[in-house]
Amino acid sequence: MKNLYKISQIAKFFNLSKQTLRYYDKIGLLTPKVIDECTGYRYYDLEQFDKLYLIMDLRKMALSLNEIKEYCDKKNVKQLEQILKNSKVNIEERLKELSNIKGNIDFYLEKIKLTRSAYSHSTFEVRKIKE
């Protein structure tokens, strides 16, 4: 089958698992161009590469598979814009949470460093004292 690629080739090229591609087929997100009736092998064509790149990009932007499928089915750019805005807000909130966690880690690391330098031959325990 000329200009068609097996699921294993697509999985390797895109660094995805075959199970992921099978799942995309199962939910109707990315169906193979051809399925061999005798072997059951799935084959994809070059035109599907663009769609798979889009799916992967949208996944990296924290969109759910349902949101991606809905966009791919309807091609509603206005809806995609709203989904992306919501995703951006969620990511910004998560970044704040991670920044707070990082601050706590830095606090404890600094306390450990100071305690080690002051009591280099002792064991110690770090506790945060409530005000």
Side-chain angles (χ1 to χ4, degrees), residues 27-30 51 54 65-76 79:
I27 65 172
L29 181 58
L30 183 72
K51 185 172 183 180
L54 174 66
L65 290 176
N66 287 336
E67 291 169 326
I68 295 169
K69 181 172 178 353
E70 192 169 331
Y71 169 70
C72 288
D73 289 347
K74 296 179 182 176
K75 300 285 193 238
N76 185 332
Q79 182 182 14

Short mmCIF file of all heavy atoms in Angstrom, two decimals, residues 27-30 51 54 65-76 79:
data_model
loop_
_atom_site.label_atom_id
_atom_site.label_comp_id
_atom_site.label_asym_id
_atom_site.label_seq_id
_atom_site.Cartn_x
_atom_site.Cartn_y
_atom_site.Cartn_z
N ILE A 27 -12.07 6.27 19.96
CA ILE A 27 -12.94 7.40 20.31
C ILE A 27 -13.29 8.27 19.10
O ILE A 27 -14.00 9.26 19.23
CB ILE A 27 -12.33 8.27 21.43
CG1 ILE A 27 -11.04 8.94 20.99
CG2 ILE A 27 -12.15 7.45 22.69
CD1 ILE A 27 -10.49 9.97 21.98
N GLY A 28 -12.77 7.88 17.92
CA GLY A 28 -13.10 8.61 16.70
C GLY A 28 -12.30 9.89 16.51
O GLY A 28 -12.68 10.74 15.71
N LEU A 29 -11.20 10.03 17.21
CA LEU A 29 -10.38 11.23 17.09
C LEU A 29 -9.48 11.16 15.86
O LEU A 29 -9.36 12.14 15.12
CB LEU A 29 -9.54 11.42 18.36
CG LEU A 29 -8.64 12.64 18.41
CD1 LEU A 29 -9.44 13.94 18.24
CD2 LEU A 29 -7.87 12.68 19.73
N LEU A 30 -8.85 10.02 15.65
CA LEU A 30 -7.97 9.84 14.50
C LEU A 30 -8.13 8.41 14.00
O LEU A 30 -7.55 7.48 14.53
CB LEU A 30 -6.51 10.10 14.87
CG LEU A 30 -5.51 10.00 13.72
CD1 LEU A 30 -5.68 11.19 12.77
CD2 LEU A 30 -4.09 9.94 14.23
N LYS A 51 -3.09 16.36 11.24
CA LYS A 51 -4.08 16.23 12.31
C LYS A 51 -3.42 15.69 13.58
O LYS A 51 -3.71 16.16 14.68
CB LYS A 51 -5.23 15.33 11.88
CG LYS A 51 -6.34 15.28 12.92
CD LYS A 51 -7.56 14.53 12.41
CE LYS A 51 -8.68 14.56 13.44
NZ LYS A 51 -9.87 13.84 12.97
N LEU A 54 -1.55 18.41 15.25
CA LEU A 54 -2.49 19.29 15.93
C LEU A 54 -2.94 18.67 17.26
O LEU A 54 -2.95 19.34 18.29
CB LEU A 54 -3.71 19.57 15.05
CG LEU A 54 -4.84 20.36 15.70
CD1 LEU A 54 -4.39 21.77 16.03
CD2 LEU A 54 -6.08 20.37 14.81
N LEU A 65 -8.94 15.20 25.65
CA LEU A 65 -9.23 14.55 24.37
C LEU A 65 -10.64 14.87 23.89
O LEU A 65 -10.87 15.01 22.68
CB LEU A 65 -9.03 13.03 24.49
CG LEU A 65 -7.58 12.57 24.64
CD1 LEU A 65 -7.53 11.07 24.84
CD2 LEU A 65 -6.75 12.98 23.44
N ASN A 66 -11.58 15.02 24.82
CA ASN A 66 -12.94 15.40 24.42
C ASN A 66 -12.97 16.77 23.78
O ASN A 66 -13.66 16.99 22.78
CB ASN A 66 -13.88 15.36 25.63
CG ASN A 66 -14.20 13.96 26.07
OD1 ASN A 66 -14.12 13.01 25.29
ND2 ASN A 66 -14.55 13.80 27.33
N GLU A 67 -12.23 17.72 24.37
CA GLU A 67 -12.18 19.07 23.80
C GLU A 67 -11.52 19.05 22.42
O GLU A 67 -11.99 19.72 21.49
CB GLU A 67 -11.40 20.01 24.73
CG GLU A 67 -12.12 20.31 26.02
CD GLU A 67 -11.25 21.01 27.05
OE1 GLU A 67 -10.03 20.74 27.12
OE2 GLU A 67 -11.81 21.83 27.80
N ILE A 68 -10.47 18.27 22.29
CA ILE A 68 -9.77 18.18 21.00
C ILE A 68 -10.68 17.54 19.95
O ILE A 68 -10.77 18.03 18.83
CB ILE A 68 -8.46 17.37 21.15
CG1 ILE A 68 -7.49 18.13 22.05
CG2 ILE A 68 -7.83 17.10 19.79
CD1 ILE A 68 -6.27 17.33 22.49
N LYS A 69 -11.36 16.47 20.34
CA LYS A 69 -12.26 15.80 19.40
C LYS A 69 -13.38 16.73 18.96
O LYS A 69 -13.70 16.81 17.78
CB LYS A 69 -12.84 14.53 20.01
CG LYS A 69 -13.76 13.79 19.04
CD LYS A 69 -14.18 12.47 19.56
CE LYS A 69 -15.12 11.70 18.67
NZ LYS A 69 -15.66 12.32 17.50
N GLU A 70 -13.94 17.46 19.91
CA GLU A 70 -15.01 18.39 19.57
C GLU A 70 -14.53 19.44 18.57
O GLU A 70 -15.21 19.76 17.61
CB GLU A 70 -15.54 19.06 20.84
CG GLU A 70 -16.83 19.81 20.61
CD GLU A 70 -17.49 20.24 21.91
OE1 GLU A 70 -17.31 19.55 22.93
OE2 GLU A 70 -18.18 21.27 21.87
N TYR A 71 -13.33 19.96 18.81
CA TYR A 71 -12.79 20.95 17.87
C TYR A 71 -12.54 20.32 16.51
O TYR A 71 -12.93 20.89 15.48
CB TYR A 71 -11.49 21.58 18.39
CG TYR A 71 -10.83 22.38 17.30
CD1 TYR A 71 -11.40 23.59 16.87
CD2 TYR A 71 -9.70 21.92 16.64
CE1 TYR A 71 -10.84 24.30 15.83
CE2 TYR A 71 -9.14 22.63 15.60
CZ TYR A 71 -9.71 23.82 15.19
OH TYR A 71 -9.16 24.53 14.14
N CYS A 72 -11.92 19.14 16.49
CA CYS A 72 -11.62 18.49 15.22
C CYS A 72 -12.89 18.14 14.44
O CYS A 72 -12.90 18.21 13.21
CB CYS A 72 -10.78 17.23 15.45
SG CYS A 72 -9.08 17.57 15.93
N ASP A 73 -13.95 17.80 15.16
CA ASP A 73 -15.21 17.47 14.50
C ASP A 73 -15.91 18.70 13.93
O ASP A 73 -16.44 18.69 12.83
CB ASP A 73 -16.17 16.76 15.47
CG ASP A 73 -15.72 15.35 15.81
OD1 ASP A 73 -14.83 14.82 15.13
OD2 ASP A 73 -16.26 14.78 16.78
N LYS A 74 -15.91 19.79 14.71
CA LYS A 74 -16.69 20.97 14.34
C LYS A 74 -15.87 22.09 13.71
O LYS A 74 -16.43 22.96 13.06
CB LYS A 74 -17.41 21.52 15.57
CG LYS A 74 -18.43 20.56 16.15
CD LYS A 74 -19.08 21.14 17.37
CE LYS A 74 -20.07 20.15 17.98
NZ LYS A 74 -20.65 20.64 19.22
N LYS A 75 -14.57 22.10 13.96
CA LYS A 75 -13.67 23.16 13.47
C LYS A 75 -14.17 24.55 13.87
O LYS A 75 -14.09 25.50 13.10
CB LYS A 75 -13.50 23.08 11.96
CG LYS A 75 -12.93 21.78 11.46
CD LYS A 75 -11.46 21.71 11.74
CE LYS A 75 -10.83 20.57 10.98
NZ LYS A 75 -10.17 19.61 11.79
N ASN A 76 -14.71 24.64 15.08
CA ASN A 76 -15.23 25.91 15.59
C ASN A 76 -14.09 26.66 16.29
O ASN A 76 -13.75 26.39 17.43
CB ASN A 76 -16.38 25.63 16.57
CG ASN A 76 -17.04 26.90 17.05
OD1 ASN A 76 -16.43 27.95 17.12
ND2 ASN A 76 -18.32 26.78 17.39
N GLN A 79 -14.92 28.48 19.59
CA GLN A 79 -14.98 27.56 20.72
C GLN A 79 -13.56 27.17 21.16
O GLN A 79 -13.27 27.12 22.36
CB GLN A 79 -15.78 26.31 20.35
CG GLN A 79 -15.92 25.33 21.48
CD GLN A 79 -16.67 24.07 21.05
OE1 GLN A 79 -16.86 23.82 19.87
NE2 GLN A 79 -17.08 23.29 22.02
#
